[in-house]
Amino acid sequence: MFKTLLLVIAVAAGGLALYPEWRAAHQAPPQLTIRYKAGSPATAAVAQPWLEVVNTSKKRVLLSDVTIRYYFTGDGASSYAFNCVQAAVGCSNIAGETVAPADPGTTADRYLQISFTTGAGSLAPGAKSGAIGLQLYRPDGRKLNQLNDRSFNAADTTFQASRMVTAYLRGAHVWGDEPTGRTGSTGPTSSTGSTGQAAASARGPSVPRPRPAHPRGIVFDDFHYSGPDDPALHAHGWLVRTSPGGPGIHDTWSAAGVSFPAEKTAEGGQVMQLRATTNGTKASTKQAEVQSSGTNFLSGTYAARIYFNDKPTSGRNGDHVNESFYTISPNNSRYSELDNEYMPNGGWGAPGPKLDTTSWYSADTGDRVTHKLVSSLQGWHTMVITAVHGVATYSVDGHKLFSSGGKYFPRQNMSINFNTWFVDLPFTGPRAWDMQVNWFYYNADKAQTLADVQKSVNGLYDGGTHYVNTVSKH
Protein backbone atom coordinates (compact mmCIF):
# COMPACT_ATOMS: atom_id res chain seq x y z
CA MET A 1 0.00 0.00 0.00
CA PHE A 2 2.81 2.38 0.97
CA LYS A 3 4.71 1.63 -2.28
CA THR A 4 1.54 2.18 -4.30
CA LEU A 5 1.02 5.56 -2.64
CA LEU A 6 4.59 6.64 -3.47
CA LEU A 7 4.05 5.60 -7.07
CA VAL A 8 0.84 7.64 -7.31
CA ILE A 9 2.58 10.71 -5.86
CA ALA A 10 5.51 10.33 -8.24
CA VAL A 11 3.22 9.96 -11.27
CA ALA A 12 1.15 12.95 -10.16
CA ALA A 13 4.23 15.08 -9.71
CA GLY A 14 5.49 14.06 -13.12
CA GLY A 15 2.15 14.95 -14.64
CA LEU A 16 2.14 18.35 -12.97
CA ALA A 17 5.61 19.02 -14.35
CA LEU A 18 4.12 18.89 -17.83
CA TYR A 19 2.14 22.08 -17.17
CA PRO A 20 3.95 25.41 -17.84
CA GLU A 21 2.33 27.06 -14.81
CA TRP A 22 3.72 24.39 -12.52
CA ARG A 23 7.19 24.57 -14.08
CA ALA A 24 7.32 28.37 -13.81
CA ALA A 25 6.40 28.24 -10.14
CA HIS A 26 8.93 25.54 -9.23
CA GLN A 27 11.99 26.30 -11.38
CA ALA A 28 15.05 27.73 -9.71
CA PRO A 29 16.00 31.31 -10.73
CA PRO A 30 18.68 31.66 -13.40
CA GLN A 31 22.25 32.04 -12.22
CA LEU A 32 22.71 35.12 -14.40
CA THR A 33 20.45 37.62 -16.11
CA ILE A 34 21.63 39.82 -18.98
CA ARG A 35 20.05 43.24 -19.32
CA TYR A 36 20.23 45.11 -22.63
CA LYS A 37 19.43 48.47 -24.15
CA ALA A 38 19.90 49.77 -27.70
CA GLY A 39 22.30 52.67 -28.11
CA SER A 40 21.89 53.29 -31.85
CA PRO A 41 19.07 53.31 -34.42
CA ALA A 42 18.29 50.33 -36.64
CA THR A 43 20.38 51.73 -39.48
CA ALA A 44 23.68 53.12 -38.28
CA ALA A 45 27.39 53.16 -39.02
CA VAL A 46 28.05 51.66 -35.59
CA ALA A 47 25.89 49.31 -33.53
CA GLN A 48 25.98 50.33 -29.89
CA PRO A 49 24.53 47.62 -27.65
CA TRP A 50 24.67 48.22 -23.91
CA LEU A 51 24.78 45.17 -21.64
CA GLU A 52 24.69 44.51 -17.93
CA VAL A 53 25.31 41.29 -16.00
CA VAL A 54 23.12 40.58 -12.97
CA ASN A 55 24.02 37.81 -10.53
CA THR A 56 20.63 36.22 -9.84
CA SER A 57 22.12 33.23 -8.04
CA LYS A 58 22.74 32.80 -4.33
CA LYS A 59 26.52 32.57 -4.72
CA ARG A 60 29.27 35.03 -5.62
CA VAL A 61 30.15 34.89 -9.32
CA LEU A 62 33.55 35.65 -10.81
CA LEU A 63 33.09 37.76 -13.94
CA SER A 64 36.09 35.96 -15.48
CA ASP A 65 33.85 32.86 -15.48
CA VAL A 66 31.19 34.68 -17.54
CA THR A 67 30.86 34.98 -21.32
CA ILE A 68 28.06 36.75 -23.18
CA ARG A 69 26.86 36.38 -26.78
CA TYR A 70 25.13 39.16 -28.72
CA TYR A 71 23.66 37.81 -31.99
CA PHE A 72 23.52 39.64 -35.32
CA THR A 73 23.67 39.08 -39.08
CA GLY A 74 26.79 39.67 -41.14
CA ASP A 75 24.91 41.15 -44.12
CA GLY A 76 27.64 39.92 -46.44
CA ALA A 77 30.55 41.61 -44.63
CA SER A 78 33.77 39.61 -44.43
CA SER A 79 34.72 41.07 -41.05
CA TYR A 80 33.42 43.10 -38.13
CA ALA A 81 35.27 45.04 -35.46
CA PHE A 82 34.51 45.47 -31.77
CA ASN A 83 35.17 48.14 -29.16
CA CYS A 84 34.43 48.68 -25.51
CA VAL A 85 33.64 52.36 -24.95
CA GLN A 86 32.60 52.43 -21.31
CA ALA A 87 32.41 49.90 -18.51
CA ALA A 88 32.09 50.15 -14.75
CA VAL A 89 34.52 47.23 -14.45
CA GLY A 90 36.96 48.93 -16.87
CA CYS A 91 37.25 48.35 -20.60
CA SER A 92 40.76 47.01 -20.00
CA ASN A 93 39.09 44.04 -18.29
CA ILE A 94 36.81 43.24 -21.23
CA ALA A 95 37.67 41.33 -24.40
CA GLY A 96 35.48 40.69 -27.42
CA GLU A 97 35.53 38.71 -30.64
CA THR A 98 33.08 38.13 -33.48
CA VAL A 99 32.32 34.52 -34.35
CA ALA A 100 30.59 32.83 -37.28
CA PRO A 101 28.86 29.78 -35.76
CA ALA A 102 28.78 26.42 -37.49
CA ASP A 103 24.94 26.42 -37.42
CA PRO A 104 23.96 29.99 -38.41
CA GLY A 105 20.39 31.23 -38.22
CA THR A 106 18.60 33.70 -40.47
CA THR A 107 18.90 36.47 -37.86
CA ALA A 108 22.06 35.20 -36.19
CA ASP A 109 24.83 34.12 -38.54
CA ARG A 110 27.34 35.95 -36.32
CA TYR A 111 27.69 36.76 -32.68
CA LEU A 112 29.81 39.12 -30.63
CA GLN A 113 31.24 37.25 -27.67
CA ILE A 114 32.24 39.22 -24.59
CA SER A 115 34.47 37.88 -21.83
CA PHE A 116 36.20 39.33 -18.76
CA THR A 117 39.63 39.19 -17.19
CA THR A 118 40.12 38.38 -13.52
CA GLY A 119 40.65 42.09 -12.99
CA ALA A 120 36.91 42.63 -13.53
CA GLY A 121 36.29 41.19 -10.07
CA SER A 122 33.18 39.39 -8.90
CA LEU A 123 29.47 39.94 -8.26
CA ALA A 124 27.81 39.22 -4.95
CA PRO A 125 24.32 37.66 -5.06
CA GLY A 126 21.95 40.24 -6.54
CA ALA A 127 24.76 42.55 -7.66
CA LYS A 128 25.10 44.12 -11.11
CA SER A 129 28.20 44.64 -13.22
CA GLY A 130 27.13 48.14 -14.17
CA ALA A 131 26.64 49.31 -17.73
CA ILE A 132 28.95 48.00 -20.45
CA GLY A 133 28.91 50.16 -23.58
CA LEU A 134 30.00 48.30 -26.72
CA GLN A 135 30.48 49.04 -30.39
CA LEU A 136 30.18 46.74 -33.40
CA TYR A 137 30.95 47.99 -36.90
CA ARG A 138 32.27 47.13 -40.34
CA PRO A 139 35.87 48.23 -41.08
CA ASP A 140 34.79 48.96 -44.66
CA GLY A 141 32.66 51.81 -43.30
CA ARG A 142 29.30 50.56 -44.59
CA LYS A 143 26.20 51.06 -42.47
CA LEU A 144 24.61 48.25 -40.51
CA ASN A 145 21.03 47.05 -40.84
CA GLN A 146 20.12 45.94 -37.33
CA LEU A 147 16.49 45.14 -38.10
CA ASN A 148 17.48 41.57 -38.94
CA ASP A 149 19.78 41.17 -35.91
CA ARG A 150 18.47 38.69 -33.38
CA SER A 151 19.67 40.56 -30.29
CA PHE A 152 18.75 44.08 -31.44
CA ASN A 153 15.56 45.67 -30.14
CA ALA A 154 15.03 49.37 -30.87
CA ALA A 155 12.22 49.51 -28.28
CA ASP A 156 14.66 48.79 -25.44
CA THR A 157 15.83 52.35 -24.78
CA THR A 158 16.35 51.53 -21.09
CA PHE A 159 17.87 48.40 -19.62
CA GLN A 160 15.60 45.36 -19.95
CA ALA A 161 16.22 41.67 -19.35
CA SER A 162 16.82 40.21 -22.81
CA ARG A 163 16.63 36.52 -23.62
CA MET A 164 17.96 37.30 -27.11
CA VAL A 165 21.38 37.74 -25.49
CA THR A 166 22.82 34.55 -24.01
CA ALA A 167 25.19 34.03 -21.08
CA TYR A 168 27.48 31.21 -20.04
CA LEU A 169 28.99 30.48 -16.64
CA ARG A 170 32.22 28.47 -16.77
CA GLY A 171 31.04 27.34 -20.19
CA ALA A 172 27.56 26.20 -19.17
CA HIS A 173 24.60 27.94 -20.83
CA VAL A 174 22.67 29.68 -18.02
CA TRP A 175 20.71 32.53 -19.62
CA GLY A 176 18.85 33.41 -22.80
CA ASP A 177 17.53 31.59 -25.85
CA GLU A 178 20.17 30.37 -28.26
CA PRO A 179 19.29 30.61 -31.98
CA THR A 180 18.89 26.83 -32.02
CA GLY A 181 15.95 27.24 -29.64
CA ARG A 182 17.79 25.97 -26.59
CA THR A 183 16.90 28.03 -23.52
CA GLY A 184 19.23 28.87 -20.70
CA SER A 185 19.18 26.24 -17.97
CA THR A 186 17.30 27.35 -14.88
CA GLY A 187 16.98 23.99 -13.17
CA PRO A 188 19.16 22.73 -10.35
CA THR A 189 21.59 20.98 -12.74
CA SER A 190 22.84 24.36 -14.01
CA SER A 191 24.73 24.85 -10.79
CA THR A 192 27.12 22.06 -11.70
CA GLY A 193 28.81 24.58 -14.01
CA SER A 194 31.70 23.47 -16.17
CA THR A 195 32.11 19.87 -15.06
CA GLY A 196 30.86 16.88 -17.01
CA GLN A 197 30.05 16.16 -20.65
CA ALA A 198 26.96 18.39 -20.72
CA ALA A 199 29.00 21.42 -19.76
CA ALA A 200 31.68 20.62 -22.32
CA SER A 201 29.01 20.37 -25.02
CA ALA A 202 27.47 23.69 -23.96
CA ARG A 203 30.85 25.37 -24.02
CA GLY A 204 31.67 24.52 -27.62
CA PRO A 205 34.96 25.32 -29.31
CA SER A 206 34.42 29.08 -29.50
CA VAL A 207 33.86 29.85 -25.80
CA PRO A 208 37.17 31.10 -24.39
CA ARG A 209 38.62 30.05 -21.09
CA PRO A 210 38.59 32.59 -18.27
CA ARG A 211 41.13 35.29 -19.10
CA PRO A 212 43.89 36.29 -16.69
CA ALA A 213 44.18 39.89 -15.60
CA HIS A 214 46.40 42.03 -17.80
CA PRO A 215 49.81 42.81 -16.27
CA ARG A 216 50.30 46.20 -14.71
CA GLY A 217 52.11 48.96 -16.54
CA ILE A 218 51.18 48.24 -20.16
CA VAL A 219 49.26 50.02 -22.91
CA PHE A 220 48.16 48.27 -26.09
CA ASP A 221 45.92 49.37 -28.94
CA ASP A 222 45.37 47.79 -32.36
CA PHE A 223 43.20 50.71 -33.50
CA HIS A 224 39.86 48.99 -34.02
CA TYR A 225 37.82 52.16 -34.41
CA SER A 226 35.07 53.25 -36.78
CA GLY A 227 36.44 56.73 -37.55
CA PRO A 228 38.10 59.86 -36.14
CA ASP A 229 34.91 60.80 -34.27
CA ASP A 230 34.51 57.39 -32.63
CA PRO A 231 33.94 58.02 -28.90
CA ALA A 232 35.99 54.92 -28.10
CA LEU A 233 39.04 56.57 -29.67
CA HIS A 234 38.80 59.45 -27.20
CA ALA A 235 37.86 57.16 -24.31
CA HIS A 236 41.02 55.15 -24.96
CA GLY A 237 43.19 58.23 -24.67
CA TRP A 238 43.71 59.37 -28.27
CA LEU A 239 43.18 62.80 -29.79
CA VAL A 240 42.86 63.58 -33.50
CA ARG A 241 44.70 66.82 -34.04
CA THR A 242 42.92 69.78 -35.59
CA SER A 243 44.81 72.51 -33.71
CA PRO A 244 47.10 75.02 -35.47
CA GLY A 245 50.88 75.07 -35.56
CA GLY A 246 53.66 72.90 -36.97
CA PRO A 247 55.52 70.89 -37.90
CA GLY A 248 55.33 70.94 -41.68
CA ILE A 249 52.81 73.21 -43.36
CA HIS A 250 51.50 75.17 -40.39
CA ASP A 251 47.81 75.23 -39.47
CA THR A 252 46.77 72.44 -41.87
CA TRP A 253 46.00 69.64 -39.41
CA SER A 254 42.69 67.93 -40.19
CA ALA A 255 40.67 64.92 -39.04
CA ALA A 256 39.88 64.20 -42.71
CA GLY A 257 43.09 62.21 -43.10
CA VAL A 258 42.50 59.88 -40.14
CA SER A 259 40.71 56.60 -40.86
CA PHE A 260 40.67 52.99 -39.69
CA PRO A 261 40.31 50.76 -42.77
CA ALA A 262 40.48 46.99 -43.00
CA GLU A 263 43.89 45.70 -44.06
CA LYS A 264 44.63 42.05 -44.86
CA THR A 265 48.36 42.37 -44.20
CA ALA A 266 47.84 43.76 -40.68
CA GLU A 267 47.63 41.69 -37.54
CA GLY A 268 43.99 41.79 -36.46
CA GLY A 269 42.92 42.94 -39.93
CA GLN A 270 42.57 46.68 -39.27
CA VAL A 271 44.87 49.72 -39.15
CA MET A 272 45.00 53.39 -38.30
CA GLN A 273 45.72 55.30 -41.51
CA LEU A 274 47.18 58.81 -41.53
CA ARG A 275 46.84 60.53 -44.91
CA ALA A 276 48.42 63.83 -45.92
CA THR A 277 47.04 65.45 -49.08
CA THR A 278 47.80 68.56 -51.11
CA ASN A 279 47.73 70.01 -54.63
CA GLY A 280 50.79 72.09 -53.88
CA THR A 281 49.22 75.03 -52.07
CA LYS A 282 48.83 75.65 -48.35
CA ALA A 283 45.08 76.20 -48.76
CA SER A 284 44.66 72.71 -50.21
CA THR A 285 46.97 70.93 -47.74
CA LYS A 286 45.68 68.60 -45.04
CA GLN A 287 48.07 66.85 -42.66
CA ALA A 288 47.12 64.07 -40.22
CA GLU A 289 48.13 63.40 -36.63
CA VAL A 290 46.87 61.25 -33.74
CA GLN A 291 48.36 61.84 -30.31
CA SER A 292 47.82 60.41 -26.86
CA SER A 293 46.23 62.12 -23.90
CA GLY A 294 45.56 61.18 -20.30
CA THR A 295 48.39 58.69 -19.81
CA ASN A 296 51.91 59.65 -18.85
CA PHE A 297 54.74 57.93 -20.69
CA LEU A 298 58.35 58.12 -19.55
CA SER A 299 60.67 55.15 -19.05
CA GLY A 300 60.11 51.68 -20.47
CA THR A 301 59.55 50.23 -23.93
CA TYR A 302 57.69 51.91 -26.79
CA ALA A 303 56.83 49.85 -29.87
CA ALA A 304 54.67 50.25 -32.98
CA ARG A 305 54.19 48.25 -36.16
CA ILE A 306 54.10 50.76 -39.00
CA TYR A 307 53.70 50.63 -42.78
CA PHE A 308 55.92 53.24 -44.43
CA ASN A 309 55.37 54.29 -48.03
CA ASP A 310 58.06 55.32 -50.52
CA LYS A 311 55.48 56.48 -53.04
CA PRO A 312 52.24 58.44 -52.81
CA THR A 313 48.97 56.53 -52.85
CA SER A 314 47.92 58.82 -55.69
CA GLY A 315 49.55 61.60 -57.68
CA ARG A 316 53.11 62.50 -58.57
CA ASN A 317 56.05 61.37 -56.43
CA GLY A 318 58.76 63.71 -55.16
CA ASP A 319 57.35 65.29 -52.00
CA HIS A 320 59.51 65.79 -48.94
CA VAL A 321 57.02 63.97 -46.78
CA ASN A 322 57.58 62.89 -43.18
CA GLU A 323 56.04 59.70 -41.75
CA SER A 324 56.62 59.83 -37.99
CA PHE A 325 56.30 57.96 -34.68
CA TYR A 326 57.64 59.86 -31.70
CA THR A 327 57.25 60.85 -28.05
CA ILE A 328 57.27 64.49 -26.96
CA SER A 329 56.80 66.60 -23.83
CA PRO A 330 55.63 70.20 -23.40
CA ASN A 331 58.22 72.66 -24.65
CA ASN A 332 59.69 73.96 -21.39
CA SER A 333 62.86 73.76 -19.30
CA ARG A 334 62.59 69.95 -19.05
CA TYR A 335 61.85 69.33 -22.70
CA SER A 336 62.02 65.68 -23.83
CA GLU A 337 61.52 64.10 -27.26
CA LEU A 338 62.36 60.75 -28.86
CA ASP A 339 61.85 60.70 -32.65
CA ASN A 340 61.44 58.26 -35.52
CA GLU A 341 61.03 60.26 -38.75
CA TYR A 342 60.98 58.45 -42.09
CA MET A 343 61.43 60.60 -45.22
CA PRO A 344 61.30 58.53 -48.43
CA ASN A 345 62.38 61.48 -50.58
CA GLY A 346 64.56 63.14 -47.97
CA GLY A 347 64.14 66.63 -46.58
CA TRP A 348 65.94 69.73 -45.32
CA GLY A 349 68.57 69.36 -48.03
CA ALA A 350 69.37 65.70 -47.29
CA PRO A 351 68.46 62.98 -49.83
CA GLY A 352 66.28 59.98 -49.06
CA PRO A 353 65.10 57.47 -48.37
CA LYS A 354 66.22 57.93 -44.78
CA LEU A 355 65.11 57.36 -41.20
CA ASP A 356 66.18 59.98 -38.67
CA THR A 357 66.19 58.80 -35.05
CA THR A 358 66.74 61.74 -32.71
CA SER A 359 66.88 62.39 -28.96
CA TRP A 360 66.22 66.03 -28.02
CA TYR A 361 67.35 68.13 -25.08
CA SER A 362 66.05 71.50 -26.30
CA ALA A 363 63.85 72.30 -29.27
CA ASP A 364 64.46 76.02 -28.81
CA THR A 365 68.22 75.76 -29.31
CA GLY A 366 68.18 72.64 -31.50
CA ASP A 367 70.22 70.72 -28.92
CA ARG A 368 69.91 67.07 -29.94
CA VAL A 369 71.78 63.93 -30.95
CA THR A 370 70.70 62.07 -34.05
CA HIS A 371 71.38 59.07 -36.25
CA LYS A 372 70.53 58.68 -39.94
CA LEU A 373 69.73 55.32 -41.53
CA VAL A 374 69.94 55.67 -45.31
CA SER A 375 67.71 52.86 -46.54
CA SER A 376 64.24 52.24 -47.94
CA LEU A 377 61.70 51.17 -45.33
CA GLN A 378 58.87 50.52 -47.77
CA GLY A 379 56.41 48.14 -46.11
CA TRP A 380 55.77 46.90 -42.56
CA HIS A 381 58.35 47.50 -39.82
CA THR A 382 58.34 47.24 -36.04
CA MET A 383 59.86 50.31 -34.41
CA VAL A 384 61.07 49.95 -30.81
CA ILE A 385 62.44 52.58 -28.43
CA THR A 386 63.63 51.55 -24.97
CA ALA A 387 64.27 54.21 -22.34
CA VAL A 388 65.67 52.69 -19.14
CA HIS A 389 68.54 53.36 -16.73
CA GLY A 390 69.37 56.66 -18.38
CA VAL A 391 69.80 55.27 -21.91
CA ALA A 392 67.40 55.55 -24.85
CA THR A 393 67.93 52.98 -27.62
CA TYR A 394 66.28 52.92 -31.06
CA SER A 395 65.81 49.82 -33.22
CA VAL A 396 64.02 48.73 -36.39
CA ASP A 397 62.87 45.10 -36.72
CA GLY A 398 65.23 44.14 -33.91
CA HIS A 399 68.30 45.85 -35.42
CA LYS A 400 69.82 48.46 -33.11
CA LEU A 401 70.35 51.90 -34.68
CA PHE A 402 71.86 53.98 -31.87
CA SER A 403 71.60 54.96 -28.21
CA SER A 404 71.64 58.28 -26.35
CA GLY A 405 72.09 59.09 -22.69
CA GLY A 406 73.08 61.82 -20.29
CA LYS A 407 71.14 65.00 -20.89
CA TYR A 408 69.51 63.42 -23.97
CA PHE A 409 67.50 60.99 -21.85
CA PRO A 410 63.84 62.00 -21.25
CA ARG A 411 63.34 64.19 -18.19
CA GLN A 412 59.56 64.40 -18.00
CA ASN A 413 56.43 62.59 -19.08
CA MET A 414 55.68 62.54 -22.80
CA SER A 415 52.79 61.89 -25.18
CA ILE A 416 52.71 59.40 -28.06
CA ASN A 417 52.36 60.83 -31.57
CA PHE A 418 51.84 59.43 -35.05
CA ASN A 419 51.65 61.78 -38.03
CA THR A 420 52.13 62.27 -41.76
CA TRP A 421 53.15 65.76 -42.91
CA PHE A 422 54.89 67.73 -45.64
CA VAL A 423 58.25 69.39 -45.00
CA ASP A 424 57.53 71.75 -47.90
CA LEU A 425 55.47 71.96 -51.10
CA PRO A 426 57.94 71.72 -54.01
CA PHE A 427 55.44 71.43 -56.90
CA THR A 428 51.76 71.65 -57.83
CA GLY A 429 49.29 68.89 -58.61
CA PRO A 430 47.13 66.64 -56.39
CA ARG A 431 48.74 63.83 -54.40
CA ALA A 432 48.11 61.80 -51.24
CA TRP A 433 50.52 60.03 -48.89
CA ASP A 434 49.52 57.30 -46.43
CA MET A 435 51.20 55.89 -43.34
CA GLN A 436 49.50 53.01 -41.52
CA VAL A 437 49.84 51.90 -37.90
CA ASN A 438 48.90 48.32 -37.05
CA TRP A 439 49.35 48.50 -33.28
CA PHE A 440 51.03 50.41 -30.46
CA TYR A 441 52.49 48.78 -27.34
CA TYR A 442 54.10 50.24 -24.22
CA ASN A 443 55.62 48.59 -21.16
CA ALA A 444 56.42 51.05 -18.37
CA ASP A 445 58.47 48.66 -16.28
CA LYS A 446 61.34 47.35 -18.40
CA ALA A 447 63.28 47.26 -21.64
CA GLN A 448 61.99 44.58 -23.97
CA THR A 449 63.55 43.08 -27.08
CA LEU A 450 61.59 42.80 -30.30
CA ALA A 451 60.95 39.13 -29.50
CA ASP A 452 59.62 40.06 -26.05
CA VAL A 453 57.39 42.75 -27.52
CA GLN A 454 56.00 40.45 -30.20
CA LYS A 455 55.34 37.72 -27.63
CA SER A 456 53.39 40.19 -25.48
CA VAL A 457 51.45 41.50 -28.48
CA ASN A 458 50.67 37.98 -29.70
CA GLY A 459 49.34 37.12 -26.26
CA LEU A 460 47.04 40.13 -26.31
CA TYR A 461 45.74 39.21 -29.77
CA ASP A 462 45.24 35.59 -28.72
CA GLY A 463 43.21 36.82 -25.76
CA GLY A 464 40.93 38.88 -28.01
CA THR A 465 42.23 42.18 -26.61
CA HIS A 466 42.00 45.23 -28.87
CA TYR A 467 42.84 47.76 -26.18
CA VAL A 468 44.23 47.71 -22.67
CA ASN A 469 45.71 50.37 -20.37
CA THR A 470 47.02 49.38 -16.95
CA VAL A 471 49.44 52.32 -16.62
CA SER A 472 48.76 54.57 -13.65
CA LYS A 473 47.26 57.89 -14.68
CA HIS A 474 48.39 61.10 -12.98
Side-chain angles (χ1 to χ4, degrees), residues 31-45:
Q31 292 177 281
L32 298 173
T33 296
I34 303 301
R35 287 157 42 93
Y36 157 86
K37 71 174 180 178
S40 60
T43 302

Side-chain angles (χ1 to χ4, degrees), residues 342-383:
Y342 181 62
M343 289 165 277
N345 294 316
W348 299 296
K354 65 169 184 166
L355 172 71
D356 286 350
T357 46
T358 307
S359 298
W360 289 79
Y361 178 76
S362 172
D364 293 335
T365 64
D367 191 353
R368 66 194 186 277
V369 289
T370 189
H371 173 274
K372 178 166 60 177
L373 172 67
V374 180
S375 178
S376 170
L377 292 182
Q378 172 68 40
W380 286 111
H381 298 278
T382 302
M383 319 297 291

